[in-house]
Amino acid sequence: MRNRLKASDAIFASLLVALVMLIAGALSPGLAQEALPSWNDTAAKTRIMDFVKATTTQGGEGYVAPEDRIAVFDNDGTLWVEQPFYTQLGFVFDRVKTLAPDHPEWKEQAPFKSVLAGDLKGVAKSGEKGIVELGMATHAGMTTDQFSKIVTDWFATAKHPKTGKLYTEMTYVPMRELLDYLRANGFKTYIVSGGGVEFMRPITEKIYGIPPEQVVGSTITTEYALVDDVPVLRRLPKIDFVDDGPGKPVGINQFIGRKPIFVAGNSDGDYEMLRWVTAAKGPGFAMLIHHTDAEREYAYDRQSSFGKLDKALDEAERRNWLVVDMKADWRKIFGWE
Amino acid sequence: MRNRLKASDAIFASLLVALVMLIAGALSPGLAQEALPSWNDTAAKTRIMDFVKATTTQGGEGYVAPEDRIAVFDNDGTLWVEQPFYTQLGFVFDRVKTLAPDHPEWKEQAPFKSVLAGDLKGVAKSGEKGIVELGMATHAGMTTDQFSKIVTDWFATAKHPKTGKLYTEMTYVPMRELLDYLRANGFKTYIVSGGGVEFMRPITEKIYGIPPEQVVGSTITTEYALVDDVPVLRRLPKIDFVDDGPGKPVGINQFIGRKPIFVAGNSDGDYEMLRWVTAAKGPGFAMLIHHTDAEREYAYDRQSSFGKLDKALDEAERRNWLVVDMKADWRKIFGWE
């Protein structure tokens, strides 16, 4: 009898633990006051939270079923820093330096020459053609598994040129909180970026909680091949799909197959995506991150080479897109502040 | 005091209900004896269940973390019937008939002429070129939203030519059970089909429990456009990606970005996908559905125009791929039997 009592006590205790976890899980999305702690209490935060409340309130006019709560985020300049140049360009520069010993001809050959000399203006002068050439030389010619390892290894040590912090630490805390907040409210979060999909996938789970299959981006052509009778996918030096501008709605339709109801971007490269999402029938929320904080991050918009924000900024008000003012709306920008 | 007691009783009662649901949910994947009821108790069923048990047993040698439990399924001939012709071809034939009044020239023009005359041999004679022409005439020229509605409406009434059942009822019950069983064990299930992705997405949730974003397939090019200043995606008469043969591993890598550990197919169009999955380090399970039941379904393999199974069948044994014998291994094939 005594043993039976003990056993039932143990069962009861573990049931209690399960219960507490169950209740905590059920309650946490409701703790709205604690959401988005790195956001100041400005209109931006209120608008976001009002939208989420409306779409998740059952029986309400703006209610959206969980399976349709798709949220898409641009990456460069929206989730992490894109100045003084895109992170992926930093990767390209480092790879060119790493591979240079095997390519003595690069010393005399544009645009490689400029990269090796640390001459960013020379790289810029080589234009889109030069950038594509650099991209192909560093992103193609290996298998997908090999490339994934190269990227993972690079992110383990590569540092931002201005702050000296790891690139993986150069993400915006308020946006990571927003991702968490949306997920806690039943949203499925995706990245939809002009960046290379296989450059992002190895690290998005770790830094954003976004798994590889929820990353949409630009792609190069891959080819099935047998190497010593083992099947691999080879990365060819050929651009397959550019997930930027009008390519973003195309990419979303192709990869996700549902229209999102929440979209965040920061540049004219996101313009068509924002229009497409907010033109749809039913609820649709769009936001633009405006880089206004020269002290804590960078201040740029209409004239920037990276993340130019011009047309989308002009039209934001009449299209009812939220413009987030980084300086005014964010209490904190980076985790290491 | 009395009220307090009552309140606590009510709380306790609702907690108990929550608990029962929690426990039932936690236990159900473990009720292995009740899984796959439409499978006979043959070696095929045992092999599948042994694999799932190994990959889900924590601490075991073959354990796979839930996020890596990706399972991919071919569609035609693997999840639903592909005889006497692909379901999508049935859609093409019906659309040609529906659109014919607007195209009087089709009466004299191959391959449309053959379709309108119900002459399948004539259609076959027009070859790949003819099929592509039919495909473009019926799949392009409208917006993605319009196409989705056309497909949804078609599936609501379209019937299989032999059984007279709705195409949506022509799915294999044992495979739907397998999808459920894998999902109950933490697997994420995908379709990876040579069929058009936008032909499948409107119905896969309903018939397989697979949401649109977990459907990989062939695509045609779409283009962002403004119609009366409203953004839409237009379907162009241009093939973008063929998700068949060597295209299947390419598509999986591009759309999912993880290597599956479970793959099911039924034809040589799945060969490269099966090889790629089972060549990977770590656990990998591959199965081929062999259509052996002329009475309850169809019997075909090496000579078939649709779902030809030849090379993959030859190599199945030495590659340790499970060959499912529909006649012997399946107690039931369709839901309406």
Side-chain angles (χ1 to χ4, degrees), chain A residues 76-112:
Chain A
D76 297 298
T78 299
L79 295 179
W80 71 12
V81 75
E82 65 182 350
Q83 301 290 354
F85 43 70
Y86 296 132
T87 302
Q88 194 165 1
L89 209 50
F91 170 77
V92 166
F93 296 158
D94 286 355
R95 286 301 292 167
V96 167
K97 287 169 199 160
T98 303
L99 297 170
D102 297 330
H103 296 271
E105 75 280 10
W106 284 356
K107 274 183 204 158
E108 303 304 326
Q109 187 185 325
F112 301 98

Side-chain angles (χ1 to χ4, degrees), chain B residues 248-322:
Chain B
K248 288 203 174 191
V250 168
I252 291 170
N253 179 65
Q254 189 168 345
F255 283 77
I256 311 179
R258 301 189 201 252
K259 210 171 281 190
I261 63 164
F262 188 104
V263 55
N266 77 299
S267 80
D268 284 358
D270 302 310
Y271 173 80
E272 286 85 357
M273 173 167 73
L274 265 68
R275 281 208 60 182
W276 188 63
V277 169
T278 53
K281 276 177 202 161
F285 188 94
M287 62 189 269
L288 284 167
I289 307 299
H290 193 191
H291 293 262
T292 51
D293 198 325
E295 205 173 307
R296 293 186 298 170
E297 202 235 7
Y298 294 91
Y300 61 97
D301 46 34
R302 299 179 196 273
Q303 306 299 325
S304 181
S305 306
F306 303 103
K308 179 181 169 181
L309 175 65
D310 187 30
K311 188 180 179 186
L313 191 58
D314 284 340
E315 298 185 16
E317 193 176 341
R318 74 175 158 102
R319 300 203 183 278
N320 201 28
W321 298 342
L322 170 66

Side-chain angles (χ1 to χ4, degrees), chain B residues 19-327:
Chain B
L19 249 181
V20 168
M21 289 169 69
L22 182 79
I23 293 165
L27 288 183
S28 60
L31 297 172
Q33 292 318 307
E34 288 181 24
L36 308 180
S38 301
W39 290 69
N40 286 319
D41 293 322
T42 52
K45 181 175 177 174
T46 307
R47 273 181 68 178
I48 293 169
M49 294 180 69
D50 284 352
F51 178 77
V52 170
K53 196 178 169 191
T55 50
T56 55
T57 302
Q58 259 179 324
E61 209 184 319
Y63 179 74
V64 176
E67 62 268 25
D68 289 320
R69 292 183 205 153
I70 304 283
V72 292
F73 288 77
D74 169 59
N75 189 29
D76 296 299
T78 298
L79 296 180
W80 71 10
V81 75
E82 65 182 349
Q83 300 290 355
F85 42 71
Y86 295 132
T87 302
Q88 193 164 1
L89 210 50
F91 169 77
V92 166
F93 296 158
D94 285 354
R95 285 301 291 167
V96 167
K97 286 169 201 160
T98 303
L99 297 170
D102 297 329
H103 297 271
E105 75 279 11
W106 284 357
K107 274 183 203 160
E108 303 304 325
Q109 188 185 324
F112 301 97
K113 191 178 150 182
S114 308
V115 173
L116 295 174
D119 170 19
L120 278 182
K121 279 184 187 166
V123 175
K125 248 188 233 163
S126 73
E128 201 185 311
K129 190 176 159 287
I131 300 290
V132 168
E133 211 176 325
L134 289 170
M136 294 301 117
T138 52
H139 285 68
M142 69 292 281
T143 69
T144 49
D145 288 343
Q146 287 165 344
F147 186 69
S148 176
K149 188 179 179 321
I150 290 167
V151 170
T152 304
D153 290 348
W154 184 78
F155 271 113
T157 59
K159 285 174 180 151
H160 187 266
K162 183 177 156 189
T163 64
K165 299 287 174 184
L166 289 172
Y167 276 109
T168 52
E169 297 177 273
M170 298 300 295
T171 61
Y172 307 133
V173 175
M175 296 305 283
R176 279 164 33 207
E177 289 172 2
L178 178 55
L179 289 170
D180 287 339
Y181 173 64
L182 289 170
R183 288 191 289 252
N185 281 284
F187 282 73
K188 199 165 175 180
T189 54
Y190 284 83
I191 287 173
V192 177
S193 165
V197 73
E198 300 200 77
F199 177 71
M200 297 180 281
R201 280 179 173 161
I203 46 137
T204 52
E205 175 75 58
K206 188 182 153 196
I207 66 178
Y208 304 130
I210 295 179
E213 62 268 30
Q214 284 162 230
V215 180
V216 180
S218 297
T219 52
I220 67 175
T221 301
T222 65
E223 177 191 58
Y224 174 88
L226 293 175
V227 174
D228 297 330
D229 207 44
V230 176
V232 297
L233 294 176
R234 263 206 208 108
R235 292 171 59 81
L236 305 183
K238 192 182 156 198
I239 290 175
D240 173 49
F241 174 64
V242 178
D243 191 51
D244 196 33
K248 288 203 174 191
V250 168
I252 291 170
N253 179 65
Q254 189 168 345
F255 283 77
I256 311 179
R258 301 189 201 252
K259 210 171 281 190
I261 63 164
F262 188 104
V263 55
N266 77 299
S267 80
D268 284 358
D270 302 310
Y271 173 80
E272 286 85 357
M273 173 167 73
L274 265 68
R275 281 208 60 182
W276 188 63
V277 169
T278 53
K281 276 177 202 161
F285 188 94
M287 62 189 269
L288 284 167
I289 307 299
H290 193 191
H291 293 262
T292 51
D293 198 325
E295 205 173 307
R296 293 186 298 170
E297 202 235 7
Y298 294 91
Y300 61 97
D301 46 34
R302 299 179 196 273
Q303 306 299 325
S304 181
S305 306
F306 303 103
K308 179 181 169 181
L309 175 65
D310 187 30
K311 188 180 179 186
L313 191 58
D314 284 340
E315 298 185 16
E317 193 176 341
R318 74 175 158 102
R319 300 203 183 278
N320 201 28
W321 298 342
L322 170 66
V323 177
V324 173
D325 180 334
M326 279 176 81
K327 191 171 182 177

Side-chain angles (χ1 to χ4, degrees), chain A residues 18 22-23 188 190 198 201 211-213 222 224 229 231 233 240 249-250 253-258 272 275 279, chain B residues 15 18 22 144 188 190 198 201 211-213 222 224 229 231 233 240 249-250 253-258 272 275 279:
Chain A
L22 181 80
I23 293 165
K188 199 164 174 181
Y190 283 83
E198 300 202 75
R201 281 179 173 162
E213 62 269 30
T222 66
Y224 175 88
D229 207 42
L233 294 176
D240 172 47
V250 168
N253 179 65
Q254 188 167 347
F255 282 77
I256 309 178
R258 297 189 205 253
E272 286 85 358
R275 283 208 59 181
Chain B
L15 289 184
L22 182 79
T144 49
K188 199 165 175 180
Y190 284 83
E198 300 200 77
R201 280 179 173 161
E213 62 268 30
T222 65
Y224 174 88
D229 207 44
L233 294 176
D240 173 49
V250 168
N253 179 65
Q254 189 168 345
F255 283 77
I256 311 179
R258 301 189 201 252
E272 286 85 357
R275 281 208 60 182

